Amino acid sequence: MKPNNEEYLVPIRQALRACRKCRNKMKFADSTGMQVTGGKTLLLSIIFRRLLRRYLGTDEQNVGVLMPTSVYGAIVNLALALDRRTSVNLNYTFGVDTIDYCTKNAGIKHVITSRKVLEQEKFKNVKLDAEFLVLEDLGKGITLLDKIIGFIDGYITPVSIYERVIGLTKIQQDDILTIFFTSGSTGTPKGAAITQRCIAANVAGFSERLALIPEDILLGALPFFHSFGFTTTIWLPATKELSSVFHFNPLDPKKVGEMVQKYCCTAMPTTPTFLRGYLRRCSEEEFESMDTIICGAEKLPLDLIDAWEQKFGIRPTEGYGTTELSPVVSVGGPKAKRTDYQDFLREGSIGRPLFNLSVRITDPETGEVLPIDTPGMLEVKGPSVMKGYYNDPEKTAAVLKDGWYSTGDIATVDKDGFIWITGRLSRISKIGGEMVPHILVEEEIEKIVRSAAANVSETDTESNEILAAVSAVPEEKKGEKLVVLHREISITPEEICRLLQNAGLPNLWIPSPSEFYQVDSLPLLGTGKLDLKSIKEMAEEKTGRKS
């Protein structure tokens, strides 16, 4: 069932209606023990809107948010939306210099944070160009009048009157709701400006594909600076009759399993890296209620799907998106939710596009639209496409043309509309005139290494750590050569190369055994994805070859 017109109201107006409708039903909860109904969510959002207006200038449009994944983290985002401001959830895994760069780029004067964040070692005595507003300190300023007005507007005042009084009817679909700074895995972070329309459309498409019902409870462990976590665990439940349960650390399987069991969570957006940790450390009883798991951010290996089904009885499905697309583009239809799941699920693919998005494949060099089953650049068009990179028209023009966003991913689309990712343009080397995708080589090596580990010990094969990464450095004769960085493994590089050959990989795709380098750990971003920029630097350092 496709969404009706009301679902394309700006998200905060949808949230007012959904929270009022669920005034006595749990809307958000978190691992600190906090739990709020839809009514309490509205009350707190209204109170914090009033509080923030005492500290923020009338001309401050962009406001930084440095909050853990929690009820109050969600409330802050809703309060800023109520005040018609733009939230900028900053990545607290970035270095302080990078965070400072982001605040300057977005013209941020104040960053809303919590004592818990400031207690981290890297934030002690730190100074940004922006001023910190500590939520616990702000809370001390709540007056009796704030509480009375919050109660009246949250529970009694008709929504249509309240939104006119505070100006929500003036919000336009093209107004910016949030800015996400991309991970910077391959360079300086860019601020993707995501509009009201982007979030409304993405929530509508994602919820329709998953066929979510009011009884569904999402487990949210992804950080809010991660677009997947922001859209699916704040705005999806806020605008629907759903609930969301938060834990601030996705790398804490014990607590995640505990929260799933305590609240009988039914759906979870996550990444394969985090999923491996839950597979290893969580019990069958803890995930008994879970029937829908959507993995994004990286390739979902078939062996992980099989292992999860063997232990928990359901098969996780793969989705795909990018920060610039708000973020979900496509997702496999989960068996537990859709009787017609075969129309949307084909394992190994990233599914079919959401109903409100169009995709096409083009030649990376000429821009020519390519036919079915021909690999090329994946481009996406629709209401989820960002407005552009904030204050950067040049980089915007490089990826947005006539409404089509160029993802940087190489893919094919089959006759049934399923999308198959084959590589990333920035992760493809031209060796001897042939295009070699790092991701496919990396996946084969990972399979071999895990299989070898399973024969020796059960410990590493179920680890949530990525065991190997492929990069490339310059090479005189063939242009580039592949480099493999790996953790301690139980198989020799020579044997890996032989097995890669047996798997049918072309000779040009197989790294030389001399180009395997053991490292203590592989650098990851806060999302669990490989930090490609650091991986590249490590490869250059190990080989002594600079690009």
Side-chain angles (χ1 to χ4, degrees):
M1 181 179 175
K2 302 297 187 290
N4 56 41
N5 290 334
E6 185 175 279
E7 290 184 278
Y8 283 109
L9 283 172
V10 296
I12 192 60
R13 295 179 68 186
Q14 291 185 47
L16 286 174
R17 288 158 174 74
C19 288
R20 180 64 68 82
K21 193 171 184 179
C22 301
R23 68 179 73 188
N24 297 317
K25 175 186 174 184
M26 186 186 83
K27 178 57 66 177
F28 296 119
D30 65 29
S31 51
T32 69
M34 187 168 184
Q35 182 174 317
V36 293
T37 61
K40 185 72 175 290
T41 297
L42 272 189
L43 182 147
L44 288 173
S45 299
I46 291 166
I47 288 175
F48 274 99
R49 172 187 176 271
R50 289 175 57 82
L51 271 179
L52 292 172
R53 288 172 69 84
R54 295 168 195 162
Y55 296 91
L56 303 177
T58 54
D59 61 339
E60 278 187 71
Q61 183 58 43
N62 301 336
V63 181
V65 180
L66 200 62
M67 292 286 294
T69 305
S70 61
V71 172
Y72 275 118
I75 295 294
V76 165
N77 278 277
L78 294 175
L80 289 171
L82 270 181
D83 206 30
R84 291 186 288 158
R85 299 185 196 262
T86 300
S87 62
V88 186
N89 286 269
L90 298 165
N91 187 336
Y92 41 75
T93 68
F94 281 167
V96 173
D97 289 345
T98 304
I99 292 174
D100 202 32
Y101 166 84
C102 296
T103 59
K104 290 175 182 175
N105 182 273
I108 291 170
K109 296 178 182 177
H110 288 95
V111 175
I112 303 167
T113 189
S114 75
R115 194 72 61 202
K116 187 179 184 69
V117 172
L118 295 184
E119 285 171 355
Q120 294 181 30
E121 189 62 37
K122 74 176 178 181
F123 289 114
K124 289 181 179 177
N125 303 315
V126 70
K127 290 187 178 179
L128 301 178
D129 264 13
E131 180 185 348
F132 284 124
L133 294 177
V134 182
L135 203 65
E136 291 87 342
D137 295 339
L138 295 181
K140 295 174 184 176
I142 296 174
T143 66
L144 178 60
L145 181 61
D146 291 328
K147 294 177 182 179
I148 292 171
I149 291 176
F151 180 83
I152 292 171
D153 288 342
Y155 287 92
I156 300 171
T157 306
V159 167
S160 59
I161 292 176
Y162 179 67
E163 61 187 4
R164 282 200 299 273
V165 169
I166 66 170
L168 297 187
T169 54
K170 297 177 183 177
I171 299 176
Q172 302 297 308
Q173 293 280 6
D174 283 334
D175 290 345
I176 300 171
L177 186 148
T178 191
I179 298 171
F180 292 120
F181 278 92
T182 59
S183 61
S185 62
T186 56
T188 305
K190 302 182 291 290
I194 304 299
T195 66
Q196 305 279 345
R197 177 187 287 108
C198 287
I199 296 297
N202 212 244
V203 164
F206 187 67
S207 60
E208 186 273 340
R209 177 59 52 83
L210 296 193
L212 296 171
I213 59 176
E215 291 71 30
D216 277 314
I217 301 173
L218 292 114
L219 189 285
L222 296 176
F224 294 153
F225 62 73
H226 189 311
S227 56
F228 195 26
F230 179 86
T231 300
T232 63
T233 65
I234 296 180
W235 287 105
L236 175 58
T239 57
K240 306 291 181 184
E241 296 175 54
L242 308 172
S243 306
S244 196
V245 174
F246 300 120
H247 180 53
F248 63 89
N249 183 7
L251 290 170
D252 183 4
K254 183 179 178 182
K255 195 65 180 180
V256 168
E258 178 186 314
M259 297 300 288
V260 171
Q261 186 173 28
K262 177 180 178 180
Y263 288 96
C264 296
C265 297
T266 59
M268 179 173 68
T270 187
T271 73
T273 296
F274 301 146
L275 201 62
R276 285 194 185 276
Y278 309 150
L279 174 66
R280 182 184 179 195
R281 303 287 297 278
C282 296
S283 68
E284 293 90 332
E285 292 76 21
E286 287 173 320
F287 273 82
E288 188 176 5
S289 61
M290 187 73 66
D291 60 29
T292 303
I293 294 176
I294 303 298
C295 284
E298 54 186 298
K299 180 68 179 172
L300 176 61
L302 186 59
D303 70 315
L304 181 54
I305 298 175
D306 291 340
W308 192 272
E309 181 182 39
Q310 185 176 359
K311 183 170 183 177
F312 297 109
I314 62 168
R315 293 181 75 77
T317 55
E318 186 170 359
Y320 167 84
T322 72
T323 301
E324 292 85 350
L325 296 171
S326 312
V328 184
V329 173
S330 61
V331 65
K335 292 183 180 181
K337 297 292 187 186
R338 304 192 65 119
T339 55
D340 61 347
Y341 70 88
Q342 298 96 331
D343 295 339
F344 301 97
L345 181 62
R346 194 159 296 174
E347 289 181 351
S349 82
I350 56 171
R352 291 167 63 184
L354 303 184
F355 76 87
N356 49 16
L357 296 177
S358 301
V359 301
R360 70 182 185 184
I361 304 297
T362 62
D363 186 296
E365 295 181 1
T366 67
E368 175 191 1
V369 178
L370 299 173
I372 285 171
D373 291 327
T374 306
M377 179 67 68
L378 175 63
E379 297 187 348
V380 180
K381 189 175 189 178
S384 297
V385 176
M386 69 172 179
K387 193 169 189 173
Y389 291 121
Y390 194 76
N391 283 338
D392 203 333
E394 188 176 326
K395 286 180 180 174
T396 299
V399 297
L400 269 180
K401 293 181 175 65
D402 300 322
W404 288 95
Y405 171 72
S406 178
T407 64
D409 286 313
I410 304 300
T412 63
V413 177
D414 66 22
K415 62 181 179 61
D416 297 318
F418 286 90
I419 308 168
W420 303 78
I421 299 292
T422 59
R424 182 157 182 81
L425 194 61
S426 62
R427 299 202 70 198
I428 290 180
S429 293
K430 201 160 190 178
I431 301 177
E434 184 176 332
M435 304 301 281
V436 179
H438 298 183
I439 292 174
L440 296 185
V441 178
E442 200 169 79
E443 286 174 0
E444 288 298 325
I445 293 174
E446 188 84 9
K447 285 180 193 174
I448 291 168
V449 170
R450 287 191 180 278
S451 177
N455 293 330
V456 176
S457 162
E458 293 184 1
T459 304
D460 284 339
T461 187
E462 291 186 352
S463 170
N464 61 321
E465 295 279 356
I466 297 173
L467 301 179
V470 173
S471 189
V473 295
E475 201 269 342
E476 292 81 4
K477 293 181 180 179
K478 296 181 179 178
E480 285 186 289
K481 64 178 178 179
L482 297 182
V483 175
V484 180
L485 303 174
H486 62 86
R487 295 175 63 235
E488 185 175 357
I489 54 179
S490 56
I491 184 172
T492 66
E494 289 78 11
E495 185 65 10
I496 291 173
C497 294
R498 185 185 66 79
L499 292 172
L500 288 174
Q501 200 165 32
N502 291 348
L505 265 65
N507 286 334
L508 283 176
W509 292 28
I510 300 175
S512 166
S514 63
E515 299 303 334
F516 281 69
Y517 299 92
Q518 182 173 322
V519 295
D520 293 333
S521 62
L522 294 169
L524 302 178
L525 300 169
T527 59
K529 295 165 67 173
L530 286 169
D531 183 341
L532 301 180
K533 182 181 179 183
S534 296
I535 292 288
K536 180 79 170 175
E537 290 170 352
M538 289 175 73
E540 291 174 344
E541 182 182 343
K542 293 289 184 183
T543 60
R545 293 172 178 264
K546 296 281 185 181
S547 297

